[in-house]
Amino acid sequence: MEGGSNLDSQIESLLNVEKQARLEGDVSSTKKAAMDIIQLCYQAKAWKTLNDQILVLSKRRGQLKQAVTAIVQQAMQYIDETPDVETRIDLIKTLNTVSAGKIYVEIERARLVKKLAKIKEEQGEIAEAADLMQEIAVETFGAMAKTEKIVFILEQVRLCLDRQDYVRAQILSRKISPRVFDIDASKEKKKPKEGDNVVEEAPADIPSLLELKRIYYELMIRYYSHNDDYLEKCRCYKSIYDIPSVKEDPAQMVQVLRKICWFIILAKHDPMQSSLLNSTLEDKNLSEVQNFRVLLKQIATMEVIQWTSLWEAYKAEFENEKNMLGGSLGDKAAEDLKQRIIEHNILVVSKYYSRITMKRVAQLLCLSLEEAEKHLSDMVVSKALVAKIDRPMGIVCFQTAKDSNEVLNSWAVNLEKVLDLVEKSCHQIHKETMVHKAALKV
C-alpha cells in the first residue's frame, strides 16, 4: 500500500546507501541505489511516494548528473503504467520539474512535454498543448536524432494549425529545410569523429524520412489552404507525387496527379506556373488522366477558351473533386477557375492584337462590356499585362509605352537597316552594270 511502513524503511536504508556512494563519488553505486528506490515505489504502486522520491533524489546536495539522468529515464518507463490520467500528468510534471534547465536530460524533457501535450490535446485543450510544445526548441539539441527533431517540429506546426495560428505555424515550418528529406540515410556517416556529440538513435515509433516528407507537405497544404495559395499547394502536391511509395501505387499516383492538374489551372499565370504546367504536360503518367491532359493542353496553347463549353465538360469532374472526402478544392475555387480562364483569354488577345475595340474584347471573352473592362483593369493593376483603354473611343491598346532611349535606339537600328539595304542595292546595280558591259564587248 502507498505510504506503507515497510516501503518507507526500505527507501530510508537505500537513501543512506545512495548518500554514502554519492559522497564517495561512486557513480555506478549512486545510480543503482537511486534506481532501486524508484523501482520499489513502482512495484508498490505508490505513485505519490514515487513523485516525492524523484524530487528528493534530484535535489540532494552534489547529486551526480548520471544519477539524475538514470532517475528520469527509469521513471519515464512507468508513465504508461499509471492507473489514470491524473496520476500520469502528475508524474510527467514531476519529471519536467526535475529535467528543467538541465542540458544532459533535454531530450527526455522534450519527450515528456510531447506526452503531456498529447494528453492535453485528447482533453480538448488544443491551445494549452500548442503552448507547451512551443516552449521546447529541439533544433538546438545536438544529441537528438534528426528524424525525431522533425517529428517534434511537425507536431508543433500541426497544433498551431489546429488552433488557427497560421503566422506561428509558418515560422515553425521554416525550421525544417525541404532539402533534408532528399538526403540518403544510408550514405550518412554512422561513426562520429572524436569530439563530436554522440547522436542518439531515434525511438522505434518515429517514421522514416520519406513518411515525414509526406506529413510535412500535407501540413503545408493545410497552411496554404487558408489563403488559397494555389501555386504553393501545387508545388506541395508535386513533392508528394515524387515520393517513391506514391508513384508506385497507381491509385495514389492518379489522385495526387489530378490535384496537381487542378492547382496548376487555378494558379495565377507567372513563370513558375508556366514551368510547372510544361513539366506536368511532359509527364508520361498524365495519360492515366487523359481529360486533364486535354485541359492542360488548352491552357498551354495561346488560343481563346470558351468558358461555357469548358465548364460543361469539366463541371462533374470539378464537383467530384470538391465533394471528395478531404476535398482539396474550396468554395471559392469555381470563381477562381473562371477568373483564370478569363485571364488566359485576355493574355491571348494581347498577344495577337496591338489595338482592339472593347466591344470585340467582350465578345471574345463572352462577357459584358463592364465585366471585360473590370477584368482587364485588374490585370493591368496587378502588372500581369500592359494596356491602355481609350474609353471615349472604346479602344484598348496593348502596346507598351517606350521611353526616349528605347525610341532613339529603335531609330538607330532602323537607320542601320536602311543603310545596309542601300549598300546592297548599290552593289547589285554595280554588278548588273558590269555584267551588261561584258555582254556588249562580246
Side-chain angles (χ1 to χ4, degrees):
M1 288 209 27
E2 195 168 324
S5 57
N6 187 32
L7 176 64
D8 288 344
S9 60
Q10 286 177 307
I11 289 171
E12 193 63 41
S13 61
L14 281 167
L15 281 171
N16 291 329
V17 172
E18 184 272 338
K19 182 180 178 182
Q20 191 176 349
R22 176 165 42 84
L23 292 172
E24 289 172 1
D26 187 343
V27 176
S28 57
S29 299
T30 308
K31 276 172 67 176
K32 189 177 183 310
M35 287 168 75
D36 286 347
I37 292 169
I38 303 299
Q39 183 77 19
L40 274 174
C41 295
Y42 166 68
Q43 286 171 350
K45 301 298 178 189
W47 299 106
K48 189 178 183 306
T49 309
L50 174 65
N51 289 334
D52 294 342
Q53 289 306 316
I54 290 168
L55 290 169
V56 166
L57 285 164
S58 64
K59 288 178 180 176
R60 300 198 98 177
R61 188 175 178 183
Q63 186 59 276
L64 304 172
K65 290 179 182 179
Q66 294 91 331
V68 175
T69 306
I71 292 164
V72 172
Q73 288 175 348
Q74 179 85 358
M76 280 179 73
Q77 295 173 19
Y78 306 144
I79 290 171
D80 294 331
E81 306 294 325
T82 49
D84 51 54
V85 177
E86 285 74 20
T87 310
R88 190 172 303 139
I89 291 171
D90 286 343
L91 180 54
I92 293 170
K93 284 183 174 176
T94 302
L95 291 170
N96 265 340
T97 305
V98 169
S99 56
K102 296 181 176 69
I103 200 165
Y104 49 89
V105 282
E106 62 184 5
I107 293 176
E108 285 76 9
R109 177 166 164 73
R111 290 171 183 165
L112 287 164
V113 168
K114 192 178 169 191
K115 281 179 182 287
L116 186 57
K118 196 170 190 304
I119 294 167
K120 292 291 180 187
E121 188 185 358
E122 286 167 359
Q123 292 175 341
E125 297 173 12
I126 304 289
E128 195 174 334
D131 289 338
L132 277 168
M133 290 291 281
Q134 282 159 39
E135 288 174 11
I136 310 295
V138 289
E139 65 276 10
T140 63
F141 295 1
M144 186 181 268
K146 185 197 296 174
T147 48
E148 192 176 357
K149 282 183 190 178
I150 294 169
V151 167
F152 199 94
I153 295 167
L154 289 176
E155 196 67 10
Q156 290 175 326
V157 173
R158 184 185 65 79
L159 286 166
C160 284
L161 290 172
D162 286 349
R163 70 187 290 196
Q164 298 183 342
D165 187 352
Y166 295 108
V167 174
R168 193 168 270 109
Q170 185 192 27
I171 293 165
L172 290 167
S173 70
R174 285 177 177 169
K175 291 180 179 180
I176 301 172
S177 169
R179 287 196 298 273
V180 78
F181 300 115
D182 301 322
I183 294 169
D184 189 351
S186 61
K187 290 180 182 176
E188 285 195 292
K189 60 178 183 179
K190 294 290 179 188
K191 291 183 180 177
K193 293 178 184 176
E194 197 174 341
D196 283 357
N197 286 331
V198 178
V199 178
E200 285 192 13
E201 286 290 322
D205 61 340
I206 298 293
S208 67
L209 264 179
L210 286 174
E211 288 168 344
L212 291 173
K213 180 178 182 178
R214 181 161 191 163
I215 296 165
Y216 168 76
Y217 282 111
E218 281 171 353
L219 287 172
M220 293 316 294
I221 288 162
R222 277 183 65 190
Y223 168 72
Y224 290 121
S225 293
H226 91 279
N227 60 351
D228 290 325
D229 192 336
Y230 297 119
L231 184 63
E232 288 300 331
K233 283 171 80 174
C234 177
R235 291 176 69 187
C236 290
Y237 276 116
K238 194 85 171 166
S239 298
I240 291 172
Y241 177 73
D242 291 332
I243 298 171
S245 61
V246 174
K247 268 200 168 172
E248 288 160 13
D249 181 357
Q252 281 192 70
M253 183 268 292
V254 168
Q255 194 178 356
V256 175
L257 192 55
R258 283 163 58 92
K259 287 176 167 55
I260 290 169
C261 293
W262 275 124
F263 289 124
I264 286 175
I265 296 158
L266 286 163
K268 287 187 177 180
H269 180 81
D270 68 4
M272 177 62 76
Q273 188 261 1
S274 298
S275 174
L276 282 169
L277 177 60
N278 291 322
S279 64
T280 306
L281 272 170
E282 289 167 11
D283 193 335
K284 292 175 184 175
N285 292 329
L286 203 59
S287 56
E288 300 290 325
V289 280
Q290 192 60 39
N291 52 347
F292 281 99
R293 177 188 280 279
V294 174
L295 183 55
L296 290 182
K297 198 78 180 165
Q298 272 186 289
I299 299 293
T301 309
M302 291 305 280
E303 290 179 7
V304 171
I305 300 170
Q306 291 293 328
W307 162 249
T308 47
S309 57
L310 181 134
W311 183 241
E312 281 172 18
Y314 291 95
K315 186 179 179 182
E317 198 79 56
F318 183 88
E319 292 297 332
N320 181 35
E321 183 69 40
K322 189 177 171 182
N323 298 328
M324 201 181 286
L325 186 66
S328 51
L329 300 176
D331 298 329
K332 199 166 149 281
E335 293 172 28
D336 290 334
L337 180 61
K338 186 177 181 180
Q339 179 77 14
R340 294 297 94 79
I341 300 302
I342 290 167
E343 286 173 7
H344 167 84
N345 289 343
I346 290 172
L347 287 169
V348 171
V349 171
S350 70
K351 185 177 175 67
Y352 289 109
Y353 293 90
S354 57
R355 293 174 83 246
I356 185 173
T357 61
M358 274 303 299
K359 191 176 178 183
R360 179 64 178 145
V361 171
Q363 193 181 345
L364 287 167
L365 299 179
C366 303
L367 297 171
S368 67
L369 209 60
E370 290 77 16
E371 285 178 317
E373 189 177 307
K374 181 188 176 296
H375 287 294
L376 195 57
S377 303
D378 288 343
M379 286 187 74
V380 172
V381 169
S382 64
K383 296 185 179 176
L385 185 71
V386 177
K388 283 187 178 179
I389 303 173
D390 185 342
R391 296 184 80 181
M393 294 291 288
I395 292 173
V396 186
C397 180
F398 292 110
Q399 288 178 331
T400 54
K402 293 179 181 179
D403 63 12
S404 55
N405 289 330
E406 285 180 354
V407 173
L408 286 169
N409 286 338
S410 66
W411 287 355
V413 170
N414 290 339
L415 197 59
E416 196 177 334
K417 284 179 182 176
V418 168
L419 291 170
D420 281 345
L421 286 168
V422 169
E423 192 179 343
K424 281 179 183 176
S425 302
C426 290
H427 178 72
Q428 290 293 336
I429 292 165
H430 186 63
K431 184 181 171 182
E432 288 291 328
T433 306
M434 295 298 287
V435 170
H436 189 61
K437 280 180 181 178
L440 285 173
K441 282 178 184 177
V442 171

